[in-house]
Amino acid sequence: MYGAEIAKQGFSGYVCEVLVYYLGSFENVLKRMSKLKNNEMIGESPRKFDSPLVIIDPIDRNRNLGAAISIQNVTNLILIARNFLKKSSISYFKEKSKNKIPVELAKNTLVVSFKYKKRSDDIIYGQIKRAASSLESQMNKEGFNVLRSDAVAYDETNASLLFLLESLSVSKNEIRTGPDVFSSDFSTKFIHTNSKKSKLMWTDKEGKLQSLQTRRYENAKSYLNDLIKNHIGDSGIPKGLRPDFKTGFKIKSGKDKQSTSVKKSISKLITTDETAFSTN
């Protein structure tokens, strides 16, 4: 949560100083955060900004320091502030070890690892975060429900994309929903396009066409492998990363043996942050 680099998208040291400057003390910062409203502005500016937390730079009132802070870090701070104010503890200021990996969730986690030509952290993290987001969207479209995703770069030339799924496998059947029958041209086109692929076609209670078909992929790992290996141009992976993927990549389960850096990232992805979600 602390750190302005793109890998963390958190609160920089300067942002922390500005918050204390505006609010008077660390305790007041926590009190304000605990009651924060979406898009709330701290400081004054003639401009409107679109970010979960707006922090006006006192040196440049047209600059929003909160723009670079992710929604996850903002909401985590809100939860942690509420818990700390209820029951303060020095443990909040100590980094907790997160190497324990819940097996039940790890088996539904996919890790796509590859090597890349060395480049700055800002560039590689921008690329791998976009890649993870795009692949998440592609898997969701294919019927695999991705719950969370993340990306990590480590050891200067290694990177991994992480995906926690509801399940790695889905039913071999899928339903394609078409237009309502009253839309003549569209319904005719839907029937023509899907008739040969359909096991069953019918109209539902809303008058919309339904087609029961065999799903192309039942396994998320197989789908992801085929997408990256054979259809990378349609994957949404940034062009700057494609040559790196073409030199080779591996897809493993979260329960397989991983490097220390990846193991930490998996743990972060699939474990609950007790400081934010404590019930004490």
Side-chain angles (χ1 to χ4, degrees):
M1 190 161 56
Y2 178 79
E5 58 269 32
I6 192 171
K8 294 183 178 179
Q9 294 180 292
F11 293 78
S12 68
Y14 179 59
V15 166
C16 295
E17 291 175 4
V18 168
L19 287 172
V20 173
Y21 166 76
Y22 277 130
L23 302 175
S25 69
F26 174 65
E27 184 179 6
N28 286 343
V29 171
L30 293 181
K31 288 179 178 178
R32 182 70 173 268
M33 291 299 108
S34 70
K35 298 178 181 179
L36 193 74
K37 304 299 182 185
N38 188 28
N39 194 231
E40 185 171 333
M41 181 183 290
I42 297 176
E44 295 182 357
S45 173
R47 293 183 56 191
K48 298 289 185 182
F49 297 95
D50 184 22
S51 62
L53 170 60
V54 179
I55 305 169
I56 303 304
D57 189 338
I59 297 174
D60 179 1
R61 298 193 181 276
N62 288 308
R63 182 186 178 205
N64 173 23
L65 299 173
I69 305 172
S70 71
I71 180 66
Q72 290 84 3
N73 280 321
V74 172
T75 51
N76 268 8
L77 178 58
I78 292 170
L79 293 171
I80 291 170
R82 290 172 183 170
N83 288 336
F84 183 85
L85 291 171
K86 283 191 292 184
K87 188 177 180 180
S88 60
S89 170
I90 193 67
S91 64
Y92 282 87
F93 301 94
K94 295 180 180 179
E95 186 174 0
K96 294 177 175 59
S97 175
K98 280 198 169 185
N99 288 329
K100 189 176 180 181
I101 297 179
V103 177
E104 185 65 26
L105 294 179
K107 70 180 184 180
N108 287 329
T109 302
L110 290 179
V111 181
V112 183
S113 299
F114 63 98
K115 289 184 176 293
Y116 63 90
K117 288 186 178 180
K118 189 175 180 181
R119 63 203 73 168
S120 72
D121 283 351
D122 282 351
I123 291 176
I124 188 60
Y125 265 99
Q127 291 175 327
I128 61 177
K129 282 178 178 290
R130 289 197 300 275
S133 178
S134 295
L135 292 177
E136 177 180 347
S137 296
Q138 295 293 342
M139 282 191 282
N140 283 329
K141 288 178 183 177
E142 199 61 34
F144 302 102
N145 186 19
V146 180
L147 304 178
R148 299 185 74 189
S149 65
D150 200 3
V152 59
Y154 54 98
D155 298 340
E156 294 191 335
T157 59
N158 290 281
S160 293
L161 314 179
L162 300 88
F163 305 94
L164 171 62
L165 290 87
E166 184 177 357
S167 175
L168 295 187
S169 59
V170 291
S171 168
K172 65 179 180 180
N173 293 322
E174 68 171 338
I175 295 177
R176 296 285 179 93
T177 300
D180 62 64
V181 177
F182 300 104
S183 303
S184 177
D185 291 342
F186 292 114
S187 60
T188 299
K189 183 178 179 181
F190 181 85
I191 293 171
H192 178 75
T193 302
N194 293 280
S195 59
K196 291 184 179 180
K197 296 181 286 185
S198 294
K199 296 179 179 180
L200 174 68
M201 293 190 81
W202 72 98
T203 56
D204 64 13
K205 294 178 181 179
E206 297 178 354
K208 290 185 177 181
L209 292 164
Q210 302 289 336
S211 170
L212 181 66
Q213 301 180 13
T214 299
R215 195 184 297 275
R216 291 187 301 168
Y217 302 92
E218 298 175 44
N219 182 272
K221 183 178 179 180
S222 298
Y223 167 67
L224 206 52
N225 183 72
D226 183 53
L227 178 65
I228 298 172
K229 187 176 182 180
N230 301 316
H231 309 282
I232 195 168
D234 300 321
S235 68
I237 292 174
K239 290 182 179 180
L241 275 185
R242 293 176 191 176
D244 300 305
F245 272 97
K246 288 178 179 178
T247 61
F249 64 92
K250 292 182 179 179
I251 303 178
K252 292 183 178 181
S253 165
K255 61 184 178 62
D256 293 336
K257 187 176 180 179
Q258 308 283 354
S259 70
T260 301
S261 296
V262 174
K263 190 175 180 180
K264 286 182 179 179
S265 296
I266 294 173
S267 180
K268 181 182 176 182
L269 186 74
I270 65 176
T271 57
T272 300
D273 183 347
E274 297 297 339
T275 57
F277 294 93
S278 171
T279 56
N280 293 332

